[in-house]
Amino acid sequence: MTHFLWVEDFNASEDKRPDNIISSTVKSVFGSVLDEKELREQLKKEDEYDAQDFLARKGIFLKLNLLEALQFIRNPDELVKIDFVVLDVDMPLCRDGQKDGKNYLPSLIEQYGSADDLRKIAGYQIYTELVIELGFPKSHILFCSNHATYFDELKKKFTDAKLKPPLSSNPDKPFLKKEDADDINQWLHRAICDYFVLRRGIIEGCRYAKSLSKESFYFDNFMPKKNGMQYEEIISYFEILENFLPLRQPENKLAIYKLFVRTLSHEWEAAKNIKPDKEKSDAVLAWIMRNTRHWITHNSSLFSDADEQLIAFLFMVNLRVMFSYADYSIQNYESILLKLFDNESLSKEELEEKCIPVSEAYLALRNIIRDENQNQQCKNLNIEEAFYFNEMANNVQLSSSALRNDKNLFTKLLYQMFWLTTCNPFVDRKNNNSLEIKFWNFNYSAKPYMLEIARSIYHRSFPKA
């Protein structure tokens, strides 16, 4: 999910708070993106620190006072974790015993005149630092408070500073109340759109890759010995990918996606030794990246309409084949990226009941090639036949046939390669000495991440199945 910073004090300044103030506030703001049953169970003790732990697991970083918020946004390693911000207006400056190691608060109290004056509009201070000093998009910040009595003072602060008021989903309300459920949900819906989910998944994936040891780097196994990558090159590669998609969604995002695919696949140019490996059975998925590199280099228009789902698929495959580590469970970045497929995924039970049509996909591509060759008058336009699926797909692209420009076909072929590199074809000699092409069975359930990808991309791989 998109990640949020939420600065909220749960009416800490009031002597008498409702018994359910924490769970009800979380529900009123983020209820539309959280599971209600899980929310009730996790917050049944009505403890704000339980709420912090629970929300952090959901990508919502809750800060309970001004000092906590300042320590977060002034730390670049923390700020990079978030995409959007929800701000209360008034809030405690700090909690008892909390250390202000860098003396953030004294200078602000002096600037605002008193601790009480700062407390009443502390959200304004966070907003201006984010927007003016840190360049955070103001459309990514929402004021949402129970204390509407401070809205007039907040508006005056913006007017006096000659700053345009903040933006919300409602043009008539720059500051929302907790009960403005429709407006809050509309803003959240924009915040969790596919672009921002993809961006967050890529960032988290790159940060995860940079945390892995040199020993887990498998990519050199695909390379001629003299062309291996240095560890410093690996780190640089992932730093480039991590910072590739801007925080503001660009109007030309499809062009950005195409450039991202080119950068993502760049290192696969020299990968010449892709073959099955008993120690790493998913190594054959490297053909997806090798073909992606070849295709975008020689016919980049194939990726001019690439959507978030295709980018996420290629990114997940890339990380899994570049590294070899024992943990095949779903990683956090994969959980984020797989959310992009939620509306079309099969359940685990549905996938288990499916007879995966790898033979049909294989024969369909072979027949497309043969039909195309029969229809051509000039031998120069013929497509060379091959035995393996990834080679057949690549030969279409190497040809001069008009099929090489079919974006939908090649997008489907990339998804199908997930199945047809792991379920490789082989020739079986029958009792009557006739030959039959069969396919190896592959146990996707043995590797949880492969099972999740499989059920997520099934309909994109076999749209008529």
Side-chain angles (χ1 to χ4, degrees), residues 29 262 342:
V29 179
R262 183 182 292 276
D342 274 357

Side-chain angles (χ1 to χ4, degrees), residues 151-219:
F151 282 179
D152 288 340
E153 189 170 347
L154 188 60
K155 291 177 183 176
K156 184 176 185 301
K157 194 70 176 176
F158 277 96
T159 301
D160 292 346
K162 294 181 172 56
L163 293 176
K164 291 183 179 179
L167 303 172
S168 80
S169 53
N170 188 330
D172 299 323
K173 293 182 178 180
F175 314 108
L176 298 183
K177 304 175 186 176
K178 295 293 197 304
E179 59 263 32
D180 293 328
D182 290 342
D183 294 326
I184 294 172
N185 291 344
Q186 186 177 344
W187 185 84
L188 280 177
H189 181 73
R190 294 176 186 171
I192 60 174
C193 74
D194 286 355
Y195 174 84
F196 294 112
V197 175
L198 174 67
R199 179 181 180 274
R200 177 49 50 189
I202 289 172
I203 290 173
E204 297 302 314
C206 291
R207 291 166 69 89
Y208 175 74
K210 292 190 295 181
S211 74
L212 296 172
S213 66
K214 293 182 182 181
E215 291 72 26
S216 64
F217 190 60
Y218 186 87
F219 181 70

